[in-house]
Amino acid sequence: MIQNINESTSVPATTQHAHPHLQLIPGIFMLGFLTLGAVFALISPGLRDLPEGKDVITGEWAVTYEKTFNKGLPWRDTGIQAWGTLEYFAFQNGRPGVLVGKEGWLFTTEEFQFFKNEAQETRQKLETIQQVQQQLKAQGTELVVALIPAKTRVYADKLGRYPMPSYTLKRYFSFRDGLLQAGIPAPDLLTPLIQARNSGEVFLHTDTHWTPFGASVVAESVKTALDQLQLNLPTTAFETRDSAEIQHSGDLLKYIPLGPYQDQGPQPDHFTEKVTEQASTDSSALLGDAPDDASDLLGDSAGVPVALVGTSYSFNPKFHFEGALKQALQVDVLNMALEGKGPMVPMQEYLKSSAWKDTPPKVVVWEIPERFLPVHYEETP
Amino acid sequence: MIFSSYIFLCLFLPLFLIIYYLTPTRLKSTLILLASYAFYGWWRWDFLYLLVAITVVSYLFALGIEKARDAKQAKFLVSTGIVLNLLALGYFKYANFGVDSFNALLQAFGTQPLPWTPILLPIGLSFFIFHAISYLVDIYRKEAQPTRNLIDFAAFIALFPHLIAGPVLRYHLLAEQFRSRTHTFEKFSQGSLRFMVGFCKKVLIADSIAPLADASFALQNPTLLDSWLGVLAYTLQIYFDFSGYSDMAIGLALMIGFKFPENFNHPYISRSITEFWRRWHISLSSWLREYLYISLGGNRKGVARTYFNLFLTMVLGGLWHGSNWTFVLWGAWHGGILALERFLGSKKLWKPVPAYLSIPGTLILVMVGWVLFRAHNVGSAFEMYAGMVGLNGLFLSDALGYQVTGLQLITIMLALILIFVGPWWMQRQQSREVGEVMRVGYATLSILPLFVLAALRLAAQDYSPFLYFQF
C-alpha cells in the first residue's frame, strides 16, 4: 500500500548546481526580510501595548496581544491597500462585504446573503412586533412600522453583474403583508422611493444608508400613515434649512482600500446636510397645542408625542431622518434609535427606558431596514 | 502560534534564530525545547502539561522496554505505553464524539440525553501522540535505541516545525540528527526557499480559495456547478494549505540543520488511489502502514484478512483526522477503493486506461472523498452529493454567485496549472544527486517577490487557521 520513506527522499545537505551563487540568494533574502521585519516590529507601537485583565494561561492574552500587534505594524496599510488595489482594478472586487455595481454604486453583501432560517426568523420578528404593538396599545400608544426597502431593491438597475437573488425578491412584500394582516400600520415605502429617484438620489452611492432626500421621502409616507390614524398630535412648527455641503465617505468605501489610487475608484458621496429646528415663529402655544409641560421647549423629552425607534438610519444625524419626520409631521419627535444594534434591540431598550415608562408617546415610529429581517439578534437581558 | 502570522515571522523566528546560532551545540536541544514549548504555550499554556506528560511517560516506558526481563514484559510495557497514549487521545479527541453519538441513540429511543460539558481538543495532539507511539514501537521492535537524554527526546516530540501539524516523524530518523547535524548557510538558504514556497502556497493560494469552498459547503441545496466548484476549491485549498504547511515545516527544520522527509509528492497526478496514498501525506501513510497495518497482521494472515486490515487501517486513519462520522466514511471510501485496487491489481486495473483519463478519474474519486472530509456532518455531505449529480439544478445559484470573485477563479486556474505543471518543473529542477531539492535558478527566484506579496497579503486578510490544526 505505502512506500517506506527512507533517507534517500530527504533533502540532501549539499547539491551541485549550475549557478552555485544563486543557491545563497534565498538565505540572504530571508535574513534581510527577518531583520527588517523584526526591526519594524520592535519599533511598532503594538509591541509594547500589553493587554490588561486577560488570562495568560488560556491564551486569551496572546490572542489579544497578537491582534494589537498586527494592527500596529507599519506595513499593514500598505498590504491592505496593495491587495485592495489589485482586486479592485483587476477584478472590480472589494474586500469581502461589498459588491461593486455600476456607475460607482456599492452594495452590501448582507442584502445578498442566503439565510437558512429566514422563514422562522421573520416569523419570530413579526410575532415580536405584534407583542410590542400590544404592549404599546396597553398604554394608549400606536405603532407604525417604517419598513425600509433594501438598497438593492430600490436601485436594482445599478447592480450590474449581480442580479438580485431570487430568495430576496419577495422579502419586502411578504413581510409588509404580514404586518398589515396583523393590523400593524406599515406604509409602502418602496413605491415612493422608486418614484422619488426622478427627483434625486434616495440612497448613497458608497454607503448602506439613505440620503437626507431619501429620508424625507420616507418621512412624508410615514406622515400619510399617521394622518390615517387621526391621532390629533400636538404640533410644533419646525423649519428645515440647508447646512454645509459635505463629502461623505460611506461605510462601504472602507471595503475598497486603494491608498494612493483612491481617486481612481468609487468616489465619496456629496450632499447637503439638512438642519431642522423649531421655528422661531412657532405659534403652537397660541393655538392651544402647546404641550402640558413647557419644559419641552428646553429639550426635555417629557410628553413628546412621537418616539422614533430604529437603527443607524434614524440615529445618524447626517441622514436627517429625525429632522425629516419633524418637518413632515410638524410634531416633536424623541429619537431613541441606536447604532449598530439592529432593529429589535433598540425597541427592547426603549421599552425599558424611563422615557417610555414615565411619558408614553402617542405614537412610536419603528424604523426597520429590510436587510435586517432575516438576521438573528440575541435578546438583551 | 502559526507560521503564517506576523508574530511568528517578525518576533519568534528572528529571535529564535539569533539565539539558536549563538547557542553552543550542547545547549541547542535545550533551546529548541524551550522555544517549542513557548511556541505551543502561545496557544494555551495550560495544555503544555499534556505535552510534557506524554513526553515523560513515553521516555520512561521506552527505558522500561529496553530493560525488560523477557519478551512478555516488554510486550506488556509497550502495550501499556500505547494504551496510555491512546487514552489521552481518546479522552481529548473522541469523548465528545462518543457522548454525542450515544446521546443521539438515547434520544432516538426517547430517553433523556446525558449532561456533558464538551472537552477542548489540544492543538497538535494527534501528531505528538503518534510521535510518542512510534517511538515506543521502534524501541520494542529494536529498530532504535531508547535515548538516555530526556532533553533530546522532549525536543524531538516538541520540535516546533512539526509540532502542530506534522510531518509525522519516526524517532530514529531524527535521533542521529539530534546528536549531530551540520549547519551550513547553503542549508539555511535551501530551508529559506522551501519555507517561502510553503508560505506562498498557504497565503496566496489556499487562503484565496478558502472563502469559495466555505461558501459552497455552506449552501443548503447546491446546484451542479455550485457543488463541483466548491469541491474543486476545497480540493485545491486542502492540498496547498497542507503541503504548504509541510513545506514550511521542512524549510524551518532545514534552517536549523534538520532534514525532514518529504510529505507530499504531487498527489493529484496519481493514476490510482493506491498511488495517491504514496504521494499524499506520506509521513502519515507510512506511520499507518508501519504501526497499524503491520500490527493488525498486514498481509500475513490470509487474503480476506489482508483486505480487512487494509480497510480497517484506512477507517481508523480517517477517524484519526477528526471525531466525526464523516471522517470514518472518508476512511472507508479510501479503504474500500484500496482494497478493490489490491484485489484487481491497481496497475492491471487502470493499465488499459490512458493517463489523460486515469489521472482525472483518480482525482474525481479523491474529490468525492473530500466532500466527506470537509462537510460538517454526513447529512451535509449528502446534500453536496445531491448537488454534484444535478438534483438541485445545474447553474450557479444566486446564493453562491455573488460570492465568487475574479481573484478566486484566477487562483483556481493557477493552482490547477501548478498541480499539473509542477511535477514536470520539479523533475527539470532536480539535482543530479539523489533526492528532491529545489535547485535555485533565475526562474526560482521569482518566489522572492511573491513571498513579499504574500507577507503583505497577511495584513489584508483575516486570520486564517491551517486546516490541519483541527486534526
Side-chain angles (χ1 to χ4, degrees):
Chain A
M1 168 179 110
I2 287 152
Q3 281 177 330
N4 261 323
I5 304 298
N6 54 40
E7 284 289 352
S8 71
T9 56
S10 302
V11 182
T14 54
T15 47
Q16 295 167 8
H17 304 288
H19 311 285
H21 60 283
L22 290 183
Q23 286 301 117
L24 306 181
I25 289 178
I28 295 164
F29 179 84
M30 182 56 109
L31 283 179
F33 178 89
L34 293 176
T35 306
L36 274 177
V39 168
F40 278 121
L42 289 170
I43 58 171
S44 81
L47 183 86
R48 285 167 292 281
D49 197 344
L50 305 178
E52 286 174 19
K54 300 286 180 187
D55 194 345
V56 174
I57 300 296
T58 59
E60 202 188 343
W61 186 93
V63 169
T64 312
Y65 178 79
E66 202 168 336
K67 277 183 184 160
T68 315
F69 175 78
N70 288 345
K71 279 184 183 155
L73 290 169
W75 61 84
R76 182 180 160 83
D77 287 347
T78 309
I80 292 169
Q81 288 160 9
W83 279 94
T85 303
L86 174 78
E87 288 205 56
Y88 180 75
F89 290 110
F91 308 108
Q92 285 287 289
N93 286 131
R95 302 293 307 138
V98 72
L99 295 175
V100 181
K102 290 199 297 194
E103 299 156 27
W105 282 88
L106 304 179
F107 297 89
T108 171
T109 51
E110 284 176 18
E111 292 181 4
F112 285 76
Q113 205 174 332
F114 176 80
F115 292 86
K116 263 195 276 206
N117 304 320
E118 174 162 358
Q120 185 191 336
E121 191 58 48
T122 50
R123 199 169 43 247
Q124 279 175 350
K125 282 200 172 64
L126 196 55
E127 283 169 14
T128 305
I129 295 169
Q130 282 175 275
Q131 287 162 7
V132 168
Q133 185 196 31
Q134 284 159 12
Q135 198 175 338
L136 296 177
K137 264 209 158 74
Q139 300 295 322
T141 302
E142 291 290 340
L143 172 68
V144 172
V145 172
L147 188 65
I148 315 298
K151 183 178 169 182
T152 46
R153 196 175 300 284
V154 179
Y155 282 99
D157 55 320
K158 304 294 183 190
L159 287 169
R161 59 192 160 145
Y162 301 106
M164 223 177 141
S166 55
Y167 44 84
T168 64
L169 291 176
K170 292 178 182 167
R171 187 180 286 162
Y172 184 81
F173 308 101
S174 59
F175 196 80
R176 182 168 168 259
D177 286 349
L179 289 168
L180 296 177
Q181 280 165 20
I184 300 163
D188 170 22
L189 302 177
L190 180 63
T191 311
L193 280 170
I194 290 176
Q195 284 170 349
R197 283 183 49 183
N198 298 324
S199 314
E201 285 173 351
V202 293
F203 273 93
L204 294 160
H205 281 243
T206 64
D207 201 300
T208 52
H209 297 94
W210 47 19
T211 58
F213 174 60
S216 71
V217 171
V218 169
E220 286 298 334
S221 300
V222 170
K223 178 191 183 301
T224 309
L226 289 181
D227 288 348
Q228 286 166 358
L229 294 174
Q230 298 177 336
L231 296 171
N232 194 22
L233 301 170
T235 59
T236 306
F238 283 101
E239 287 174 342
T240 298
R241 58 178 171 81
D242 287 353
S243 179
E245 173 82 14
I246 62 159
Q247 177 174 290
H248 173 75
S249 282
D251 52 10
L252 292 171
L253 210 50
K254 289 193 203 86
Y255 290 86
I256 304 184
L258 304 179
Y261 303 99
Q262 203 70 53
D263 59 344
Q264 291 173 48
Q267 291 308 291
D269 289 275
H270 291 87
F271 61 86
T272 307
E273 277 196 299
K274 304 276 182 191
V275 177
T276 300
E277 291 161 332
Q278 202 167 325
S280 53
T281 55
D282 182 15
S283 57
S284 55
L286 301 173
L287 298 171
D289 283 337
D292 297 342
D293 185 351
S295 64
D296 261 18
L297 303 177
L298 303 172
D300 196 303
S301 66
V304 174
V306 177
L308 169 62
V309 178
T311 66
S312 49
Y313 284 72
S314 304
F315 177 88
N316 194 324
K318 261 189 190 177
F319 310 135
H320 191 248
F321 186 47
E322 178 194 331
L325 265 184
K326 286 174 175 172
Q327 179 65 39
L329 301 173
Q330 291 297 300
V331 170
D332 200 7
V333 174
L334 173 68
N335 190 347
M336 296 297 286
L338 296 172
E339 206 171 19
K341 306 271 186 192
M344 311 314 274
V345 173
M347 180 55 85
Q348 289 167 16
E349 295 295 319
Y350 173 61
L351 294 174
K352 288 181 207 163
S353 71
S354 57
W356 159 250
K357 286 174 181 166
D358 300 343
T359 52
K362 296 238 176 185
V363 63
V364 172
V365 176
W366 192 356
E367 165 262 306
I368 301 178
E370 177 196 341
R371 82 168 196 262
F372 295 135
L373 293 178
V375 181
H376 181 74
Y377 294 93
E378 291 301 327
E379 297 224 352
T380 54
Chain B
M1 203 179 290
I2 60 168
F3 300 154
S4 57
S5 70
Y6 288 131
I7 208 95
F8 178 80
L9 276 178
C10 302
L11 284 184
F12 181 90
L13 189 58
L15 193 66
F16 170 75
L17 286 173
I18 289 168
I19 300 171
Y20 179 81
Y21 278 101
L22 291 175
T23 302
T25 306
R26 64 192 164 81
L27 294 175
K28 278 190 177 1
S29 288
T30 309
L31 174 69
I32 287 171
L33 180 64
L34 293 173
S36 298
Y37 280 173
F39 180 86
Y40 193 83
W42 190 254
W43 170 65
R44 281 185 81 115
W45 290 97
D46 53 352
F47 276 98
L48 207 51
Y49 77 90
L50 189 62
L51 182 57
V52 174
I54 282 163
T55 303
V56 172
V57 166
S58 302
Y59 170 79
L60 294 174
F61 267 86
L63 292 178
I65 292 164
E66 191 200 27
K67 291 191 177 102
R69 286 188 310 271
D70 50 29
K72 197 176 168 187
Q73 191 185 35
K75 191 167 187 173
F76 170 77
L77 286 169
V78 75
S79 304
T80 310
I82 290 170
V83 165
L84 287 173
N85 273 298
L86 289 178
L87 279 174
L89 187 66
Y91 174 75
F92 285 105
K93 188 158 181 166
Y94 301 109
N96 295 337
F97 175 52
V99 171
D100 288 349
S101 298
F102 186 67
N103 277 341
L105 205 65
L106 287 179
Q107 283 173 298
F109 287 104
T111 316
Q112 279 290 353
L114 302 169
W116 177 254
T117 309
I119 298 160
L120 184 71
L121 172 67
I123 207 164
L125 176 74
S126 309
F127 287 94
F128 56 78
I129 292 273
F130 267 29
H131 284 129
I133 291 174
S134 92
Y135 175 63
L136 290 172
V137 176
D138 281 358
I139 304 304
Y140 173 72
R141 290 178 181 171
K142 297 192 167 33
E143 288 176 11
Q145 287 294 311
T147 179
R148 298 276 177 284
N149 188 333
L150 177 59
I151 298 288
D152 272 2
F153 177 66
F156 157 72
I157 295 279
L159 189 60
F160 73 85
H162 77 121
L163 173 63
I164 307 291
V168 186
L169 301 176
R170 295 175 64 178
Y171 177 71
H172 79 268
L173 275 181
L174 281 196
E176 188 53 43
Q177 296 184 50
F178 269 100
R179 278 191 288 273
S180 148
R181 61 185 178 277
T182 57
H183 295 92
T184 65
F185 192 74
E186 193 187 32
K187 237 182 176 184
F188 178 86
S189 188
Q190 262 183 42
S192 300
L193 182 63
R194 193 63 188 268
F195 178 84
M196 287 189 262
V197 168
F199 189 89
C200 290
K201 275 181 169 181
K202 160 72 179 159
V203 176
L204 295 181
I205 298 178
D207 289 352
S208 296
I209 300 173
L212 184 55
D214 293 346
S216 170
F217 275 86
L219 296 174
Q220 250 190 322
N221 298 303
T223 64
L224 186 87
L225 193 54
D226 290 348
S227 50
W228 280 102
L229 190 60
V231 178
L232 175 64
Y234 184 69
T235 300
L236 297 170
Q237 183 203 343
I238 194 168
Y239 171 66
F240 282 94
D241 186 287
F242 193 26
S243 74
Y245 182 90
S246 294
D247 287 336
M248 284 190 261
I250 291 167
L252 285 166
L254 209 49
M255 284 158 85
I256 53 173
F258 287 98
K259 288 183 283 176
F260 282 6
E262 291 298 328
N263 208 19
F264 286 87
N265 182 18
H266 312 294
Y268 290 157
I269 59 160
S270 303
R271 296 182 191 195
S272 67
I273 294 297
T274 306
E275 187 184 348
F276 174 78
W277 280 104
R278 290 194 189 116
R279 293 171 171 274
W280 177 273
H281 202 176
I282 301 164
S283 65
L284 174 70
S285 37
S286 306
W287 195 100
L288 292 172
R289 178 184 181 279
E290 286 295 319
Y291 303 110
L292 187 56
Y293 179 70
I294 289 174
S295 301
L296 288 166
N299 55 5
R300 305 184 306 277
K301 297 196 174 182
V303 176
R305 183 65 190 268
T306 301
Y307 294 126
F308 176 75
N309 288 344
L310 194 52
F311 183 75
L312 186 62
T313 298
M314 292 312 290
V315 168
L316 292 173
L319 190 60
W320 173 85
H321 284 86
S323 52
N324 193 320
W325 288 109
T326 50
F327 292 112
V328 175
L329 288 176
W330 175 75
W333 169 254
H334 277 276
I337 299 171
L338 283 174
L340 182 73
E341 285 183 353
R342 189 182 177 98
F343 177 68
L344 297 168
S346 68
K347 287 200 167 68
K348 201 169 67 184
L349 174 67
W350 301 117
K351 202 176 177 183
V353 182
Y356 63 81
L357 289 177
S358 64
I359 291 174
T362 301
L363 189 54
I364 285 170
L365 291 177
V366 170
M367 286 165 81
V368 168
W370 285 145
V371 172
L372 284 161
F373 199 87
R374 171 61 179 75
H376 290 297
N377 52 52
V378 177
S380 303
F382 279 87
E383 278 173 19
M384 205 68 173
Y385 289 137
M388 286 165 84
V389 294
L391 293 183
N392 305 321
L394 304 178
F395 304 109
L396 205 62
S397 70
D398 289 350
L400 186 66
Y402 77 91
Q403 300 186 71
V404 181
T405 69
L407 184 66
Q408 288 164 357
L409 295 177
I410 292 284
T411 308
I412 284 178
M413 277 160 47
L414 286 172
L416 285 169
I417 290 167
L418 285 173
I419 273 170
F420 294 112
V421 175
W424 167 80
W425 168 261
M426 287 299 289
Q427 208 171 17
R428 218 173 133 257
Q429 291 294 101
Q430 257 180 5
S431 73
R432 276 159 290 183
E433 290 184 25
V434 179
E436 284 188 5
V437 63
M438 205 167 300
R439 198 168 52 142
V440 182
Y442 290 105
T444 320
L445 293 179
S446 63
I447 205 74
L448 307 186
L450 285 174
F451 177 65
V452 174
L453 263 183
L456 286 173
R457 177 78 197 236
L458 267 191
Q461 69 181 21
D462 293 322
Y463 167 74
S464 159
F466 279 94
L467 292 180
Y468 251 71
F469 283 12
Q470 60 193 301
F471 303 136

